[in-house]
Amino acid sequence: MRAFQIQTFDAQPALAEVETPSPAAGEVAVKIAACGLNFADMLMAKGTYQDTPEPPFTLGMEVCGTVIAHGPGVDSPAIGTRVAVFGGQGGLADVATFPAALCRPVPDAMPDTVAAGFQVAYGTSHLALTRRARLQPWETLLVLGAAGGVGLTAVEIGKALGARVIAVARGADKLAVAREAGADHLIDSTDGDLKSQLKALGGVDVVYDPVGGDAFKAALSACNREARVIAVGFASGDVPQIPANILLVKNITVIGFYWGGYLKFAPDALTDSLSDLMDLYAQGKLRPHISHVLPLDRAGEGLDLLANRQATGKVVITP
């Protein structure tokens, strides 16, 4: 079968012919229909992600596909069941094996491409905003990188939770995508002083930040009293240093958030969150945005789209 693999961290990932895997005890084999790309896949390809396996390994953290075989001791999900899986790796291939316990049945009304890119982006924003930031309906939510894979979902979920949403993104096209997702106010990240524009809008109560760098600093300066700042990632490449005096004077809380870490210490939190998200999707309150769908032999182009910030919403690969 085909797999898009990292052989060494010094070389670019490439498509390879490998042996089709068989499921071990507790696992199922899944024929992959679609695989969602994430910023973490880029980091993993360089060996800089916190959960990077030793090479060689196959990229692709989240998938949708059909169960085609059971390993010893497994009888569900039944063969033929369409499932979504966050496996952390292995998804950019024709077939992959995953622990059966990680497989979640997909509603018939949810397309493969949507299900493949749903878990990480929506799961990250929902759990960050509900469990960690405890966003309230009367509060103002600032979303940085608002047209990106996770940023756009934060805009949608913030609106679904009743907040006023300020979206910051680069350029009119990306801001238009954020507006369609429900943003109340739009700010071009290249247009003037972000701090001043945020203060003119009354400041912010919760900051959702997958960007870092100067945007984080500006957002922190525009925080209202008792604001919460969620550090989701550092797409700018700049990990900001936090002046503790600002936190003290305004009673601000800075919150670290790593969605995948919950698999190890609170998996029920992920399961409950994804259940809530499926309900919101069924109610028509979430409209996942996919800017590119590419075949497996163009997976490298998909990673380049993320690296060059040319994508909005999700990039999905379909073997």
Side-chain angles (χ1 to χ4, degrees):
M1 71 165 198
R2 300 169 304 158
F4 190 68
Q5 291 198 326
I6 296 293
Q7 296 296 328
T8 70
F9 296 128
D10 295 328
Q12 292 294 315
L15 203 59
E17 289 289 332
V18 300
E19 185 176 348
T20 302
S22 298
E27 292 184 338
V28 297
V30 175
K31 180 175 176 57
I32 307 300
C35 176
L37 293 186
N38 292 278
F39 189 78
D41 288 306
M42 294 167 42
L43 300 180
M44 198 176 288
K46 299 174 184 177
T48 58
Y49 188 61
Q50 55 261 34
D51 283 336
T52 301
E54 289 296 319
F57 65 90
T58 300
L59 290 170
M61 304 180 75
E62 57 177 340
V63 304
C64 177
T66 302
V67 176
I68 58 173
H70 290 158
V74 175
D75 55 17
S76 67
I79 291 175
T81 302
R82 201 163 63 104
V83 296
V85 190
F86 173 73
Q89 59 170 302
L92 288 174
D94 292 313
V95 175
T97 58
F98 303 104
L102 298 182
C103 297
R104 298 175 176 84
V106 176
D108 291 340
M110 181 177 280
D112 293 335
T113 51
V114 170
F118 191 81
Q119 295 179 92
V120 174
Y122 279 98
T124 295
S125 294
H126 185 263
L127 204 61
L129 293 175
T130 57
R131 180 182 176 109
R132 299 292 281 137
R134 302 192 182 278
L135 178 67
Q136 301 300 310
W138 58 84
E139 292 185 311
T140 295
L141 168 66
L142 168 65
V143 181
L144 302 175
V150 292
L152 197 59
T153 64
V155 172
E156 277 194 284
I157 291 169
K159 286 304 297 179
L161 295 173
R164 182 179 72 134
V165 178
I166 302 172
V168 177
R170 182 186 296 268
D173 290 345
K174 291 187 176 182
L175 288 174
V177 173
R179 180 190 291 111
E180 291 177 7
D184 299 288
H185 301 280
L186 307 171
I187 297 176
D188 191 324
S189 60
T190 65
D191 183 18
D193 182 357
L194 177 58
K195 173 183 172 181
S196 297
Q197 293 182 76
L198 293 173
K199 286 193 170 184
L201 290 170
V204 298
D205 303 305
V206 174
V207 178
Y208 184 93
D209 180 19
V211 177
D214 290 338
F216 176 96
K217 299 170 187 174
L220 185 63
S221 297
C223 278
N224 296 327
R225 299 187 185 280
E226 292 195 325
R228 288 87 70 205
V229 181
I230 316 167
V232 179
F234 311 104
S236 67
D238 180 359
V239 179
Q241 303 303 302
I242 302 167
N245 62 309
I246 294 179
L247 307 185
L248 183 151
V249 171
K250 288 190 175 181
N251 291 295
I252 295 172
T253 302
V254 177
I255 302 167
F257 185 80
Y258 168 40
W259 183 81
Y262 282 84
L263 284 172
K264 298 177 181 178
F265 71 90
D268 288 349
L270 295 184
T271 302
D272 293 344
S273 172
L274 287 170
S275 177
D276 290 344
L277 286 165
M278 289 295 184
D279 289 343
L280 289 171
Y281 178 83
Q283 295 167 26
K285 293 182 178 181
L286 302 179
R287 295 178 296 168
H289 176 82
I290 300 169
S291 65
H292 296 79
V293 177
L294 302 172
L296 185 59
D297 59 4
R298 295 175 62 189
E301 292 179 41
L303 292 177
D304 288 341
L305 288 169
L306 297 184
N308 296 325
R309 301 189 186 185
Q310 294 176 318
T312 55
K314 293 294 290 191
V315 175
V316 176
I317 306 299
T318 55

